[in-house]
């Protein structure tokens, strides 16, 4: 079955550490996205990539970094510069073309301890 | 700045009733709109979409209405069931921009 997989489901980070969240899709989608969701709130865009080896900052990119070396993979690194990283992180992908809905992964819940 | 918002943070309905969830948007250039359903601890699930050249689109038990004049979007769910209980988000985009999401409405279905 085609889909988008995020791992791990739960992640605990000590203050000052960098952590990397994995996102893999086998849908042959060109574009991939990372959103952050805080409790009781909507999704805010961190980074997105419309093609391999290219990505753009979203609304809240500070303290995060990404790479897009393969079409299937779009890992997100939460750096120590992110002051409040505890949140639910969602990865999404969509096919090439303007008007398609995003397919979301099941999310990674990151907690700073 | 541009934003997508919702009128009601929580909507409580009786099982079997119809539900209407509303959403206002501010970007007049928005040309594509989506409704998502999110259950607790899960990723959002696509429900239905609509392009700006339409004012109504129907799916299975769901209908989306778009009023571009007042920048308003609504999701109607017919014969609401307990499994419909979730948080519903509207999202919009203009051209090649990424989707912008609203803050969500929680739908509670009472048996």
């Amino acid at each position: 079955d085609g889909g988008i997989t995020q791992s791990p489901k739960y992640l605990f980070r000590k203050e000052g550490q960098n952590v990397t969240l994995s996102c893999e899709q086998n849908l042959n989608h060109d574009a991939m996205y990372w959103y952050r969701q805080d409790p009781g709130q909507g999704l805010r865009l961190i980074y997105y990539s419309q093609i391999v080896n290219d990505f753009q900052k979203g609304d809240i990119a500070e303290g995060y970094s990404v790479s897009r070396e393969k079409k299937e993979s779009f890992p997100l690194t939460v750096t120590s510069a992110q002051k409040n990283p505890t949140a639910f992180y969602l990865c999404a992908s969509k096919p090439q073309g303007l008007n398609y809905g995003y397919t979301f992964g099941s999310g990674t819940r990151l907690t700073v301890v | 700045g541009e934003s997508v918002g919702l009128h009601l943070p929580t909507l409580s309905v009786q099982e079997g009733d119809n539900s209407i969830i509303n959403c206002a948007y501010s970007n007049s250039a928005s040309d594509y709109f989506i409704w998502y359903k999110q259950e607790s601890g899960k990723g959002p699930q696509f429900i239905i979409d609509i392009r700006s050249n339409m004012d109504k689109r129907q799916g299975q038990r769901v209908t989306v209405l778009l009023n571009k004049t007042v920048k308003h979007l609504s999701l109607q769910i017919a014969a609401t069931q307990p499994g419909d209980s979730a948080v519903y988000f509207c999202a919009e985009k203009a051209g090649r921009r990424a989707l912008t999401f609203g803050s969500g409405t929680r739908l509670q279905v009472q048996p």
Side-chain angles (χ1 to χ4, degrees):
Chain A
D1 286 340
I4 182 166
T5 302
Q6 291 186 241
S7 62
K9 188 170 179 65
Y10 299 96
L11 187 57
F12 296 89
R13 190 195 92 169
K14 293 183 180 179
E15 287 193 23
Q17 282 184 337
N18 293 354
V19 290
T20 298
L21 284 58
S22 171
C23 180
E24 303 277 335
Q25 54 97 2
N26 60 4
L27 298 165
N28 200 33
H29 285 176
D30 291 289
M32 297 186 74
Y33 305 82
W34 275 105
Y35 284 87
R36 168 181 172 142
Q37 186 175 31
D38 291 287
Q41 297 188 29
L43 284 65
R44 292 184 291 167
L45 182 66
I46 305 173
Y47 267 99
Y48 65 103
S49 168
Q50 299 199 13
I51 195 169
V52 174
N53 292 324
D54 187 44
F55 48 84
Q56 288 78 40
K57 293 182 179 180
D59 300 320
I60 56 165
E62 185 175 353
Y64 300 98
S65 66
V66 294
S67 63
R68 187 86 187 275
E69 297 177 1
K70 298 186 301 181
K71 187 176 184 178
E72 300 80 16
S73 179
F74 192 40
L76 174 73
T77 297
V78 185
T79 75
S80 57
Q82 170 50 237
K83 299 306 180 187
N84 185 22
T86 296
F88 191 46
Y89 290 86
L90 287 158
C91 181
S93 68
K94 87 165 184 68
Q96 190 176 44
L98 285 177
N99 295 329
Y100 288 99
Y102 298 178
T103 300
F104 280 88
S106 56
T108 292
R109 187 166 300 281
L110 173 64
T111 304
V112 174
V113 296
Chain B
E2 294 146 356
S3 66
V4 177
L6 292 168
H7 295 310
L8 297 172
T10 303
L11 177 65
S12 185
V13 300
Q14 291 294 124
E15 182 178 356
D17 286 352
N18 296 335
S19 303
I20 300 176
I21 302 172
N22 296 303
C23 179
Y25 64 97
S26 59
N27 184 2
S28 57
S30 296
D31 55 13
Y32 182 61
F33 306 83
I34 305 179
W35 281 99
Y36 281 93
K37 173 185 179 183
Q38 186 179 30
E39 296 175 323
S40 182
K42 297 183 179 180
Q45 179 184 3
F46 175 92
I47 301 174
I48 192 167
D49 61 357
I50 189 167
R51 301 180 186 182
S52 59
N53 60 353
M54 304 171 68
D55 53 20
K56 180 179 180 179
R57 191 167 188 215
Q58 290 183 293
Q60 187 178 13
R61 281 202 307 119
V62 293
T63 300
V64 55
L65 299 177
L66 175 63
N67 185 331
K68 295 180 288 295
T69 302
V70 295
K71 299 190 187 69
H72 185 267
L73 189 70
S74 68
L75 176 70
Q76 301 179 2
I77 304 174
T80 312
Q81 303 168 0
D84 295 326
S85 293
V87 176
Y88 290 80
F89 293 96
C90 65
E92 56 83 22
K93 74 175 189 70
R96 293 189 173 277
R97 296 176 61 182
L99 284 174
T100 298
F101 285 78
S103 56
T105 292
R106 182 174 302 280
L107 177 64
Q108 296 177 335
V109 182
Q110 307 297 330

